[in-house]
Amino acid sequence: MKGRDALALSSGILFGIGLALSGMTNPNKVKNFLDFSGTWDPSLAFVMGGALLVATVGFRVVLRRPQPLYAPKFQLPTATDLDARLIAGSMIFGIGWGLSGYCPGPVVTSLSTFSTGAVAVFAALAAGMLAHDLTLGHARRNKTETRDSTASS
Amino acid sequence: MTIVDFTPLSSAAGGLIIGLSVVLLMLGIGRIAGISGILGGALGPLSDGDRGWRLYFLVGLVAGGVLYSLVAGPVGPLLKGTEQLVPAMIGAGLVGFGTRMANGCTSGHGICGISRFSARSIVATLSFMLSGAATVFVVRHLV
């Protein structure tokens, strides 16, 4: 296994453990987080707070390097426009998140239960992604440009 | 409003681990750890043709769940019956469509984008939080 593959695997393992430990893989907990007027569970704000704390500091440190360990360049999104696709897409995502209690990461990590329900939800997520990519996807601009790593982000 | 099942310690600890994961991916291969982008990229045609690291990350995402369940207990409640499965599948389909349309989900926009102070990611996160809360309100309190 190449270094970059081992690193991607390790990052995925950490992410999966974090999702399971935090409660994001429990759809009832997610729905309770979104239920401000009913049975509210504020826990997921702590997930976001913890992740943002590490990522905000960590990115600042890491992006000072001339390049990543196993790739020639850092690849960061450069788009800045607040367009209808961004807002409409996010609102469609939110409706699905509220209905199911799942965002994409927990759907993948839930495959670790090897249950038919988890496989069915994963298939539905993949179908929704492919449905987008085969219809609206052709108009999708490439939002990620390789930037010179010496430029500020 | 009633506060239920509040788990600030394990949720914050999980969040810190997720933060380490996204910083590690940036340090190692210079990529944003956005799950919808990684999964969509692994499933569909790629502009960069680089499927390998995405597949390894996704295998890790499942392996992390397996490791957690071996040490700490089951991952999430299993969905039972059509009354749970049907709304979960409809919702997951919308999640797939919407996250591809918006170029990101809770991880890419909510964590990686906000930590880089991206205005797009802040707007995206507010949008899906609002529509998610509105959806739960309608389903739980109006229907």
Side-chain angles (χ1 to χ4, degrees), chain A residues 15 47 50-52 54-55 59, chain B residues 14-24 111:
Chain A
F15 207 112
V47 184
L52 281 177
V54 176
F59 280 171
Chain B
L16 293 172
I17 294 172
I18 292 170
L20 283 178
S21 159
V22 307
V23 172
L24 182 66
I111 297 167

Side-chain angles (χ1 to χ4, degrees), chain B residues 50-131:
Chain B
D50 192 2
R51 210 177 297 272
W53 72 269
R54 292 181 170 88
L55 290 174
Y56 277 106
F57 183 91
L58 292 168
V59 167
L61 208 47
V62 180
V66 172
L67 286 174
Y68 178 87
S69 62
L70 291 176
V71 174
V75 172
L78 298 182
L79 297 173
K80 292 201 177 72
T82 50
E83 73 281 1
Q84 285 187 0
L85 210 47
V86 169
M89 289 181 70
I90 294 170
L94 292 171
V95 168
F97 194 96
T99 54
R100 290 300 282 169
M101 189 173 168
N103 282 321
C105 57
T106 352
S107 49
H109 281 311
I111 297 167
C112 296
I114 290 184
S115 66
R116 294 170 51 247
F117 309 113
S118 153
R120 273 174 61 83
S121 292
I122 293 167
V123 167
T125 305
L126 288 174
S127 303
F128 66 69
M129 290 272 180
L130 276 173
S131 71

Side-chain angles (χ1 to χ4, degrees), chain A residues 31-57:
Chain A
K31 289 183 204 170
N32 280 337
F33 171 66
L34 294 169
D35 193 0
F36 300 102
S37 63
T39 48
W40 191 45
D41 178 357
S43 307
L44 298 198
F46 286 69
V47 184
M48 194 137 198
L52 281 177
L53 187 73
V54 176
T56 305
V57 176

Side-chain angles (χ1 to χ4, degrees), chain A residues 4 11 13-14 22 29 32 35-36 38 40-41 43 48 51 69-70 75 81 90-91 94 103 109 133 140 143, chain B residues 1-5 7 11 15 17 21 27-28 30 50 57 60-61 98 100 103 106 110 120 128 131-132 140-141:
Chain A
R4 71 193 313 251
S11 173
I13 289 173
L14 276 179
S22 66
K29 204 165 174 63
N32 280 337
D35 193 0
F36 300 102
W40 191 45
D41 178 357
S43 307
M48 194 137 198
L69 296 174
Y70 300 110
Q75 294 188 44
D81 42 334
S90 296
M91 295 197 81
C103 56
T109 297
D133 291 1
R140 180 168 181 253
K143 300 272 186 192
Chain B
M1 183 182 80
T2 323
I3 292 192
V4 294
D5 303 328
T7 55
S11 287
I17 294 172
S21 159
L27 171 68
D50 192 2
F57 183 91
L61 208 47
R100 290 300 282 169
N103 282 321
T106 352
R120 273 174 61 83
F128 66 69
S131 71
R140 283 192 171 176
H141 304 293

Side-chain angles (χ1 to χ4, degrees), chain B residues 32-50:
Chain B
I32 295 283
I35 311 297
S36 57
I38 292 173
L39 180 57
L43 292 171
L46 284 169
S47 55
D48 62 1
D50 192 2

